[in-house]
Amino acid sequence: EDSSRLFSISEISNECGTLAQTPSVFIEILQPSIKIESNGVFCNETLITMPVTGMKTHENADYYQLQIKNNLQIINILPNLVQNSIQFYLPQEIQKDKTYALKIIGKKLGEFSNTISFIVKSPPAQPSIITPQHVCFGTENYFLTANGTNLKWYTEENPENFTFSVLLNTKQAFRKNYYVSQSDSNGCESPKSKMEV
């Protein structure tokens, strides 16, 4: 249901009996105004970008906080707001392969998200490469190779865009660096290996 609901408490019971509550106490059950979209798996030691809807992007940086809970502790983090997502790093005290609950809380009443469960996984190892690579001028259809799965190739060390393969233009003489990582089925990405070509 999308709307809030109002309830009244007129009687309270416990093991010792029933107590009449006069006048009745009204409580309002609020629905989350923010929706988190996540598969419930986060990668350790990487910047996490989590899609959300319903957040006000024009608020101050400290307006929202992430609350992470397990049976033993509550951790609060100030995330960065980026368009329709939030970005954050998990603190070091978050342990791998244990389940945690996460929600977003705003400074005004009623501004909170649904609670999601998540687990933290380690990123895969860097792909192994041979560097530097020497490619003969004029060689046809020369693709760069690395040992790993789900390889992502980059032309810079920290760009947002990647390709799944690199076909070199061997009709031009050049020296260039490429960066390659591997990712797993959880979406965790390894550190990048630098290949000199």
Side-chain angles (χ1 to χ4, degrees):
E1 192 173 310
D2 292 332
S3 59
S4 302
R5 299 182 68 188
L6 197 62
F7 296 90
S8 66
I9 299 175
S10 54
E11 219 174 72
I12 301 169
S13 298
N14 66 13
E15 294 170 0
C16 299
T18 301
L19 173 70
Q21 176 68 42
T22 309
S24 295
V25 173
F26 288 93
I27 59 169
E28 185 177 10
I29 308 299
L30 299 174
Q31 298 291 326
S33 59
I34 301 166
K35 181 166 176 38
I36 297 175
E37 318 252 344
S38 171
N39 65 358
V41 178
F42 295 147
C43 306
N44 198 23
E45 300 172 11
T46 58
L47 178 65
I48 297 164
T49 301
M50 190 170 64
V52 292
T53 53
M55 290 181 72
K56 299 174 182 171
T57 53
H58 60 276
E59 296 292 349
N60 292 339
D62 65 346
Y63 186 83
Y64 292 104
Q65 64 179 347
L66 286 180
Q67 187 179 78
I68 297 174
K69 281 186 185 181
N70 69 359
N71 297 338
L72 305 172
Q73 63 191 144
I74 297 175
I75 303 166
N76 293 313
I77 302 172
L78 290 176
N80 290 326
L81 306 181
V82 183
Q83 293 176 339
N84 295 326
S85 62
I86 57 171
Q87 291 183 330
F88 59 97
Y89 285 95
L90 289 171
Q92 290 184 332
E93 57 262 40
I94 300 288
Q95 297 175 8
K96 291 190 283 279
D97 299 321
K98 290 199 175 179
T99 302
Y100 291 85
L102 177 145
K103 71 178 176 180
I104 302 167
I105 303 170
K107 287 193 172 178
K108 289 186 183 160
L109 180 67
E111 289 188 344
F112 62 95
S113 72
N114 56 314
T115 301
I116 63 160
S117 293
F118 73 91
I119 192 165
V120 179
K121 296 289 185 184
S122 294
Q126 282 180 267
S128 63
I129 59 171
I130 296 171
T131 186
Q133 289 270 328
H134 299 285
V135 181
C136 292
F137 184 83
T139 304
E140 289 190 22
N141 295 337
Y142 192 89
F143 285 93
L144 293 181
T145 60
N147 288 332
T149 56
N150 301 321
L151 295 176
K152 294 181 177 180
W153 292 90
Y154 299 87
T155 55
E156 297 169 33
E157 193 166 7
N158 295 310
E160 293 183 15
N161 298 325
F162 66 89
T163 58
F164 291 111
S165 63
V166 174
L167 175 62
L168 295 179
N169 179 0
T170 59
K171 305 283 190 258
Q172 293 178 340
F174 63 87
R175 288 181 87 146
K176 190 169 184 178
N177 294 329
Y178 291 91
Y179 302 86
V180 60
S181 68
Q182 66 175 327
S183 56
D184 61 18
S185 59
N186 297 317
C188 292
E189 188 173 349
S190 74
K192 297 178 182 76
S193 298
K194 179 181 175 181
M195 181 183 288
E196 298 174 31
V197 179

